[in-house]
Amino acid sequence: QSALTQPASVSGSLGQSITISCTGTSSDIGNYNYVSWYQQHPGKAPKPMIYDVSNRPSGVSNRFSGSKSGNTASLTISGLQAEDEADYYCNSYRNGNTYVFGTGTKVTVL
Amino acid sequence: QVQLVQSGAEVKKPGASVKVSCKASGYTFTDYFLHWVRQTPGRGLEYMGCIHPNSGDTNYAQKFQGSVTMTRDTSISTAYLELTRLTSDDTAMYYCARDKDGGFSFDPWGQGTLVSVSS
């Protein structure tokens, strides 16, 4: 059960935009529009940021957006702010009625 | 509001068992799948499986089949994750999370329960 592949780290300056990729296979991302993204600050539980590829839960800033192409999903953070510095994980539904997380990406705001 | 509150941190010796609880409030407990997720420093988040509180049906991720048991008590709106024959590899934070309305993602999450295994 291999994890989805994310870059270990991504950085950007205040106000810039960054994109985090999440690569899977035709058994998960490529076959279902059930990709979600979670933000995790140190010592805290993950916080939902995106569900069903591109939808934001109530209360999540519209600076966060999601998309998908083929077997790769992406999370874009625009207008980067200091509080965006955190770990980010993607997740996808996978064949066999299960789910799989990404390897996680540490976002650093310069 | 919808809330999941987990039991406190546990310290166990190798070979022991532990049962983590997750108490739900603010919604009808039997209407939504309840998922369990493990987080270790070296491996990030790992999906462990889920239980449907109404039927008690479970679906374990392949990696965790045979080593964990998910149960529930509907009378107190609480789900449980039991780990047996603990080893140091089981040292981790364990989270419960509810299916989001519409399913296929996890919202909300419990605050997490740290299980430490050490001799």
Side-chain angles (χ1 to χ4, degrees):
Chain A
Q1 251 190 338
S2 52
L4 306 174
T5 301
Q6 298 180 232
S9 62
V10 172
S11 62
S13 301
L14 282 169
Q16 282 190 329
S17 293
I18 61 170
T19 297
I20 303 168
S21 62
C22 171
T23 302
T25 69
S26 57
S27 296
D28 37 67
I29 293 176
N31 200 31
Y32 302 98
N33 288 324
Y34 297 135
V35 177
S36 52
W37 290 88
Y38 302 88
Q39 177 193 67
Q40 187 178 35
H41 287 108
K44 300 293 188 181
K47 173 187 175 183
M49 303 301 285
I50 295 287
Y51 67 94
D52 294 352
V53 175
S54 59
N55 295 295
R56 282 186 307 276
S58 173
V60 172
S61 171
N62 59 9
R63 297 186 298 104
F64 292 84
S65 61
S67 62
K68 187 189 92 165
S69 177
N71 295 339
T72 299
S74 299
L75 174 72
T76 298
I77 309 174
S78 58
L80 204 58
Q81 298 183 3
E83 60 262 34
D84 299 333
E85 187 161 293
D87 293 327
Y88 291 83
Y89 294 90
C90 59
N91 178 275
S92 176
Y93 182 78
R94 173 178 274 183
N95 285 351
N97 197 25
T98 190
Y99 292 84
V100 59
F101 282 97
T103 50
T105 298
K106 182 176 180 59
V107 168
T108 301
V109 180
L110 303 172
Chain B
Q1 75 283 18
V2 177
Q3 195 173 11
L4 300 173
V5 177
Q6 298 183 226
S7 49
E10 301 266 10
V11 179
K12 295 291 183 181
K13 294 197 181 301
S17 298
V18 68
K19 198 169 189 178
V20 176
S21 68
C22 171
K23 183 170 176 60
S25 61
Y27 72 98
T28 303
F29 178 62
T30 50
D31 282 354
Y32 295 85
F33 278 101
L34 205 294
H35 305 267
W36 289 93
V37 176
R38 182 172 84 172
Q39 185 167 34
T40 54
R43 292 188 177 179
L45 298 174
E46 293 180 281
Y47 182 74
M48 301 180 72
C50 65
I51 183 169
H52 199 292
N54 188 42
S55 62
D57 287 346
T58 54
N59 187 30
Y60 301 116
Q62 190 172 11
K63 175 176 181 176
F64 295 98
Q65 283 178 358
S67 63
V68 305
T69 303
M70 297 174 190
T71 57
R72 92 289 189 221
D73 184 340
T74 57
S75 68
I76 56 173
S77 300
T78 300
Y80 300 94
L81 173 70
E82 184 172 24
L83 311 172
T84 58
R85 300 184 300 276
L86 291 167
T87 72
S88 58
D89 287 345
D90 295 312
T91 294
M93 185 72 82
Y94 293 85
Y95 293 100
C96 61
R98 199 200 76 173
D99 243 15
K100 181 177 170 49
D101 278 330
F104 302 104
S105 64
F106 314 124
D107 187 4
W109 292 60
Q111 83 276 19
T113 296
L114 179 62
V115 175
S116 300
V117 183
S118 174
S119 55

